[in-house]
Amino acid sequence: MAKNEVSENPESRFSAVLVAAAKLPGVRVDREAYLRKALARHCSEEQIRRAVEETPAAAGIPLDVLDKAANDSIKYEAAKVSTLSAAAGIPGLLFLPATVPADAAQHFGHLLRIAQKLAYLYSWPDLFSHDSDGLDDATEGILTLFFGVMFGTQQANAAVGKVAGMISEQVAKKLPQRALTKGVIYPMVKKVAGYLGVEMTKQSFAKSVSKAIPVVGAVVSGGLTLATFLPMARRLKKHLSSLELTKPARWVVDAEGVGVYEPSAADRAERHDADGTATEPGSPRSS
């Protein structure tokens, strides 16, 4: 794609920064190593083993324990954000493509790290392939939606909820590739990416981040400040912790000898109460 086309197409602009940030050293989080470290103070070795091999929810780890681990991770990443400047932050900024602003890539690098950590705690599958340095389309799609949630877009909230439901129903250990790249979620991914791309010019990116956070007088320049990082991370944490994936399920064998996860009676009742109450996503930004 031509350079000027990238700069003029909001969706492509966002995608270019996301892909570049994901390639920066230190941005990717090893799921197994992270879960073992994050849960070590709160869980038994057996719970940790099951959390790694399956999910924290399947291991029966209570939500309040996961919330504590999530808060610890947010504090840890926030401390890094507040001590690193744009010049001395995540290494590799000098090697970014010319079309990718260095400050935007660093913003995204910090946000990508906490997004992965929160996703793994709240029972999402591994987001990155260990066989490739790049982003596959499904991973790029879900990360786009996570960023949309952090920026407060209603459509991203709805789409992340739908993807979580698909993973929960299929007891999947990977992202639903088709839904995120060709199916029902894909148009929502494109719309959210376009919305975020509009906010991402060199001149307006820092201002758009600060506008997404209700902090009076916050001035954002250079690095991603503590004042913006914390509310965005907490927004994603709140949403991910509320989804179906966080609810423990019981493994049963059906009449045909096939193993499936069965929701509890309380979960089924909650689903029943929620039937027919969903509303269409509203404007891009939530109130």
Side-chain angles (χ1 to χ4, degrees):
M1 182 176 290
K3 178 177 176 179
N4 64 334
E5 187 177 345
V6 170
S7 64
E8 292 174 3
N9 183 325
E11 183 185 333
S12 297
R13 183 186 306 133
F14 171 83
S15 177
V17 178
L18 181 64
V19 170
K23 292 180 179 179
L24 292 175
V27 166
R28 297 195 182 191
V29 174
D30 182 284
R31 178 181 176 273
E32 177 177 350
Y34 168 68
L35 285 177
R36 288 190 178 280
K37 184 175 181 179
L39 299 175
R41 292 193 302 157
H42 308 286
C43 303
S44 68
E45 182 56 37
E46 175 61 17
Q47 284 179 310
I48 294 173
R49 183 190 65 78
R50 285 201 63 191
V52 169
E53 293 181 359
E54 300 175 55
T55 67
I61 300 174
L63 189 57
D64 64 328
V65 171
L66 298 176
D67 286 342
K68 289 177 184 177
N71 288 334
D72 288 344
S73 292
I74 290 173
K75 290 176 184 176
Y76 175 81
E77 292 296 331
K80 293 179 66 175
V81 168
S82 63
T83 56
L84 295 177
S85 67
I90 299 172
L93 295 175
L94 294 177
F95 303 99
L96 290 173
T99 54
V100 178
D103 65 331
Q106 188 177 15
H107 283 304
F108 274 38
H110 288 303
L111 293 172
L112 277 173
R113 281 184 56 83
I114 194 59
Q116 291 169 82
K117 290 184 174 184
L118 294 176
Y120 298 151
L121 281 173
Y122 294 119
S123 295
W124 287 73
D126 210 334
L127 300 179
F128 287 97
S129 168
H130 297 287
D131 302 326
S132 172
D133 292 333
L135 283 181
D136 64 36
D137 291 341
T139 297
E140 183 176 344
I142 197 60
L143 290 175
T144 296
L145 296 177
F146 284 171
F147 271 74
V149 172
M150 287 189 279
F151 270 82
T153 66
Q154 291 281 21
Q155 193 157 49
N157 287 353
V160 168
K162 288 179 182 295
V163 175
M166 293 175 185
I167 297 173
S168 180
E169 289 175 3
Q170 299 170 11
V171 200
K173 291 190 176 182
K174 63 180 183 178
L175 296 171
Q177 301 279 328
R178 181 173 179 80
L180 282 164
T181 60
K182 298 178 181 178
V184 294
I185 307 297
Y186 183 60
M188 303 171 81
V189 172
K190 290 178 66 68
K191 187 170 182 179
V192 170
Y195 166 73
L196 294 173
V198 168
E199 306 290 301
M200 273 190 45
T201 62
K202 286 185 178 181
Q203 294 76 23
S204 71
F205 180 78
K207 186 182 296 183
S208 71
V209 174
S210 64
K211 285 197 302 182
I213 309 301
V215 179
V216 177
V219 178
V220 182
S221 62
L224 180 60
T225 68
L226 191 63
T228 57
F229 177 85
L230 282 174
M232 294 180 83
R234 288 169 178 164
R235 186 177 284 160
L236 182 60
K237 169 185 174 287
K238 180 179 179 181
H239 189 57
L240 294 183
S241 67
S242 71
L243 300 175
E244 189 74 19
L245 280 177
T246 64
K247 300 175 182 178
R250 186 166 60 92
W251 181 258
V252 297
V253 177
D254 64 17
E256 298 180 355
V258 177
V260 295
Y261 277 108
E262 181 181 79
S264 66
D267 291 340
R268 288 196 296 271
E270 184 176 315
R271 283 186 186 178
H272 178 74
D273 291 342
D275 284 347
T277 62
T279 58
E280 290 294 320
S283 58
R285 178 157 300 155
S286 61
S287 56

